[in-house]
Amino acid sequence: MMDRYKLWQIIGIYLGIFAFLSFMLLPFVEMFVTSLRPLEHLRTTPYRFWSDKMSFDAYSTMWESVPLLGRYIVNSVFIASAVTAFTMVLVIPASYAYARLQFPFKTASLAGILAVNMFTGAVLLIPLYKVLKTLGLLNTYWAMIVPGIAFLIPTGIWLLKSYLEKIPVELEEAAFVDGASRIYILRRVVIPLAVPGIIVVGTATFIGAYAQQFLFAITFNQTRELQPLPAGLQEFVGRQVVTWNEMMAASLTGVVPVILIFFFLQKYLVAGLTAGAVKE
């Protein structure tokens, strides 16, 4: 009876995983199939998922339809990378301070950081616009980098703080006995031990920065050459026709950088996500 129960339990788990993956991946499957279908087949009624004239033509013609498409993809990667770099420079010392130091209003400030993270970018667009205009940052890369940093720091602090708290404090105390300063300990003791957690937080920050570019780009930037991919995709929308197959092809091409990051950092991501899962 127990073996039969375990069998049904395993089946239920795999069915749940299959349902979740289907829910997450089916939109990408639809995007890929749409990118392969001729444009005239996308307008047929009733809608047909499959076509007898599938081809990869859209992946070549999209560069001609939007000549700056390559620039848009590079801009997206650059903006996301810059946001990630600046965010991690600020998040690492802040997380260490919250994990190890005792100071006034520590709990209240943490709650404040979490409360700030509850606001979406759309709520603060007007104040952000005024601030960026005062600083002279409109229509520059900084107009999309600075807001991204501001919105991703709270999440980064909370995630990395939890990871740093799992590092044994005895290692730092031993370094203090040897005369090491707090900065030296952070650089030479804590950061090397926290590399898996830093990679996880950095990857989450990169994905967040990559995903939030559209709103900031269309609000704070009017320079075409500086637009990221999400904003550049609007050029596939014409006055009379929308080239959906080319738009889907460009969208999938823009996802490639994120996929490559997961591919090369997979080992570190698993190590970071499972660290502390087993208590010795």
Side-chain angles (χ1 to χ4, degrees), residues 2-280:
M2 183 61 66
D3 293 338
R4 189 175 180 180
Y5 173 77
K6 289 184 177 180
L7 176 62
W8 282 108
Q9 189 177 38
I10 294 173
I11 293 175
I13 291 173
Y14 277 99
L15 287 176
I17 294 174
F18 176 78
F20 174 77
L21 291 178
S22 300
F23 179 78
M24 296 297 294
L25 297 178
L26 277 179
F28 291 96
V29 174
E30 172 66 18
M31 289 174 64
F32 179 68
V33 174
T34 301
S35 69
L36 299 180
R37 295 170 61 191
L39 185 60
E40 58 272 13
H41 284 203
L42 297 174
R43 305 172 187 160
T44 58
T45 303
Y47 176 78
R48 292 185 301 168
F49 179 77
W50 195 257
S51 173
D52 55 352
K53 294 184 179 180
M54 296 288 195
S55 71
F56 287 90
D57 291 344
Y59 288 88
S60 58
T61 57
M62 66 180 184
W63 307 102
E64 301 173 3
S65 300
V66 181
L68 289 179
L69 180 60
R71 178 68 180 269
Y72 296 151
I73 296 175
V74 172
N75 287 342
S76 286
V77 175
F78 170 74
I79 293 170
S81 300
V83 170
T84 302
F86 284 108
T87 300
M88 295 308 296
V89 167
L90 298 173
V91 162
I92 291 174
S95 301
Y96 178 71
Y98 278 108
R100 288 289 187 262
L101 304 182
Q102 296 296 328
F103 51 89
F105 306 108
K106 176 180 176 180
T107 303
S109 59
L110 269 175
I113 291 174
L114 183 62
V116 170
N117 197 41
M118 296 172 63
F119 291 94
T120 63
V123 176
L124 302 176
L125 283 181
I126 295 178
L128 281 173
Y129 184 89
K130 292 183 177 180
V131 171
L132 293 173
K133 183 178 181 180
T134 302
L135 296 176
L137 298 180
L138 292 178
N139 300 320
T140 66
Y141 283 120
W142 290 107
M144 295 166 282
I145 293 174
V146 173
I149 296 172
F151 280 100
L152 291 172
I153 282 179
T155 303
I157 290 177
W158 272 92
L159 291 176
L160 192 56
K161 167 185 169 292
S162 301
Y163 188 91
L164 295 181
E165 288 175 341
K166 296 183 176 68
I167 297 177
V169 69
E170 290 79 10
L171 298 175
E172 300 172 46
E173 293 174 349
F176 273 124
V177 173
D178 293 336
S181 64
R182 180 72 69 174
I183 300 297
Y184 182 90
I185 291 174
L186 176 61
R187 289 174 49 226
R188 299 299 180 88
V189 178
V190 176
I191 291 181
L193 292 173
V195 167
I198 291 174
I199 291 177
V200 171
V201 176
T203 303
T205 302
F206 183 88
I207 295 173
Y210 209 86
Q212 68 182 8
Q213 293 173 356
F214 177 75
L215 189 62
F216 298 143
I218 63 175
T219 307
F220 306 135
N221 176 51
Q222 300 299 322
T223 304
R224 185 185 178 194
E225 289 74 14
L226 302 183
Q227 293 284 14
L229 179 63
L233 290 176
Q234 295 182 98
E235 296 189 18
F236 289 103
V237 181
R239 292 185 177 181
Q240 297 181 347
V241 65
V242 180
T243 53
W244 290 108
N245 52 351
E246 295 180 2
M247 183 187 290
M248 295 300 103
S251 301
L252 290 174
T253 303
V255 177
V256 171
V258 180
I259 296 176
L260 291 176
I261 287 177
F262 268 95
F263 178 78
F264 288 108
L265 299 180
Q266 180 180 359
K267 178 177 66 175
Y268 301 99
L269 290 172
V270 173
L273 291 172
T274 58
V278 178
K279 185 177 180 180
E280 297 181 357

